[in-house]
Amino acid sequence: MSFWSPNSEFSSGKLKPHDNDSTPLAMQDYAPDLDDTPDHQALLLGNDIDNDPSDQPPTAPRLVETLPRYHVPFETYSHDDRILSRDQQVNVFSQELYSFLRARSAVPPRIAIHFKGTRNPRIQYRRTYDSNGNILTEEQEISKEGPIHPIEEFNYRIDCSDLVSRRWAGFHVLPDRKTGRVKTVEELCEDYVKDTHKLKELQLTKVIDWDEELLIRTLTAGIRANGYSNTLNITIEKKETKVTVKPGSWLARMADNVVVRAFFYSTLLFIFTWPMLLLWRRKIGHKTLQSKWHMTVSEKDWCDQHMAEIIGQIPPAALGRPVRTEDTE
């Protein structure tokens, strides 16, 4: 593994674990070799590792003085369910950028399933008025004509984040759509660092290995089989799936500033500036750089385990079942 820096090339053999690997870079496996030991976690997060002085000779050199410190840059924060960093180190040193992506990729994403059911009757109102025009009585009746009044019957979420595997499955880079080339993660990091564009950005997407279409079809079929025939919407909601790196320059910050954007919208200048930003932004890894995550249960098994709970959240009347007396009290 080689990294580019603005001042020099890293020539130490310790920083190039793939020097003796004859496998082409585009085909190398990026499965992580992380372990869950406290020492490793402390190294990733930039914490000092507590070592017993009696375990080392007094003259032994300190590792923190001879080897680079890998850490998650402190200028990171969640914004729109993304991790965004404008730290100078990840914008200047490709080695730091790679370490940052690797550390952030080890944090599992969140996933939930959102269920919403509505019925859409056409309701007409029959009102009676007094001599002053005030409403005396008002009755509703469902008819084939009249405006539609959506009525929500159920709306809830089931959090599935605890079913995401605790260990990520490694980096995965898709072929470039234009060239068809598959770059390594290190090459993408070097491309970003070397690029002098003022509005560049690199993005990694955490992908959960769950067939969402199969899951939605299975859930829909199960709910329909239990008698629900009204409008049904099932969506898979994922959070904390984006890791983005951007420059810390004033221009890059201004382009993302909420106040500046509000000004351009209020003055209608966004008609000109928005297309310019879309064309001028230089995006790296947005559609190719991923980290893979597996679920600990299959789509079908999850549906079988939770179908009774899902049906229990739907009002019996919506399923065409008689309403029990205790349900109405």
Side-chain angles (χ1 to χ4, degrees):
M1 181 189 311
S2 63
F3 298 95
W4 180 89
S5 69
N7 298 323
S8 63
E9 297 290 339
F10 287 92
S11 58
S12 173
K14 295 182 179 180
L15 297 178
K16 300 180 179 180
H18 299 298
D19 283 349
N20 298 326
D21 191 354
S22 59
T23 306
L25 288 176
M27 301 178 62
Q28 288 181 3
D29 184 11
Y30 289 100
D33 54 356
L34 305 180
D35 54 56
D36 292 328
T37 61
D39 288 354
H40 174 77
Q41 296 298 329
L43 187 61
L44 268 182
L45 298 176
N47 299 330
D48 290 330
I49 302 174
D50 294 328
N51 295 321
D52 188 355
S54 61
D55 295 339
Q56 296 182 358
T59 58
R62 295 184 60 190
L63 291 179
V64 295
E65 297 176 352
T66 57
L67 295 180
R69 296 278 305 275
Y70 300 99
H71 61 90
V72 177
F74 63 89
E75 287 189 4
T76 62
Y77 57 92
S78 296
H79 176 67
D80 296 337
D81 301 322
R82 296 183 305 170
I83 299 297
L84 173 63
S85 176
R86 298 184 187 272
D87 187 79
Q88 182 179 6
Q89 294 188 67
V90 298
N91 276 276
V92 175
F93 299 102
S94 60
Q95 186 179 26
E96 291 287 349
L97 177 56
Y98 179 85
S99 300
F100 168 71
L101 294 177
R102 193 177 181 87
R104 282 301 183 187
S105 295
V107 180
R110 297 163 56 191
I111 182 172
I113 304 177
H114 183 199
F115 299 85
K116 183 178 181 180
T118 57
R119 58 188 178 95
N120 303 294
R122 294 182 179 273
I123 300 178
Q124 287 186 340
Y125 293 91
R126 295 184 179 275
R127 302 182 178 95
T128 59
Y129 301 88
D130 59 16
S131 58
N132 296 323
N134 299 319
I135 297 176
L136 294 177
T137 61
E138 182 179 78
E139 297 179 355
Q140 296 181 3
E141 64 177 19
I142 298 177
S143 64
K144 295 182 179 180
E145 299 179 357
I148 297 177
H149 295 268
I151 299 176
E152 185 177 281
E153 295 182 306
F154 59 90
N155 186 356
Y156 65 95
R157 292 173 175 81
I158 299 180
D159 191 0
C160 306
S161 301
D162 58 336
L163 298 177
V164 180
S165 176
R166 297 298 93 184
R167 293 179 64 87
W168 64 304
F171 288 122
H172 180 67
V173 183
L174 300 176
D176 186 88
R177 292 185 177 182
K178 295 182 179 179
T179 64
R181 181 188 174 192
V182 180
K183 291 189 176 183
T184 66
V185 182
E186 297 94 323
E187 288 176 326
L188 291 174
C189 291
E190 292 177 359
D191 289 346
Y192 176 82
V193 171
K194 290 180 179 179
D195 198 327
T196 58
H197 201 278
K198 299 298 182 181
L199 291 180
K200 64 180 180 178
E201 58 183 62
L202 182 143
Q203 181 171 282
L204 176 141
T205 303
K206 300 178 184 179
V207 178
I208 299 177
D209 190 16
W210 230 16
D211 191 333
E212 297 181 10
E213 294 184 358
L214 173 61
L215 182 65
I216 293 175
R217 288 199 307 268
T218 305
L219 290 172
T220 301
I223 295 175
R224 297 298 190 200
N226 279 273
Y228 189 76
S229 59
N230 295 327
T231 303
L232 176 64
N233 292 309
I234 302 176
T235 55
I236 311 299
E237 300 177 349
K238 291 173 286 188
K239 295 183 177 182
E240 300 179 10
T241 60
K242 305 292 185 182
V243 180
T244 309
V245 178
K246 296 183 179 182
S249 64
W250 69 269
L251 180 60
R253 292 180 182 273
M254 288 282 287
D256 296 332
N257 188 278
V258 177
V259 177
V260 174
R261 289 189 173 188
F263 169 77
F264 279 98
Y265 273 105
S266 61
T267 57
L268 299 182
L269 291 175
F270 76 93
I271 299 175
F272 306 100
T273 58
W274 189 253
M276 291 175 60
L277 283 176
L278 290 178
L279 294 174
W280 200 24
R281 283 188 187 274
R282 184 161 300 171
K283 299 181 178 180
I284 300 175
H286 278 62
K287 298 180 180 180
T288 59
L289 181 56
Q290 301 176 349
S291 67
K292 290 288 188 177
W293 289 86
H294 297 305
M295 298 292 287
T296 58
V297 63
S298 68
E299 299 87 351
K300 184 178 183 303
D301 289 343
W302 190 92
C303 294
D304 294 340
Q305 296 170 10
H306 293 81
M307 186 55 66
E309 175 187 354
I310 295 169
I311 299 302
Q313 297 288 336
I314 303 176
L319 298 174
R321 300 175 182 176
V323 180
R324 298 178 298 177
T325 304
E326 54 269 25
D327 293 337
T328 59
E329 294 179 354

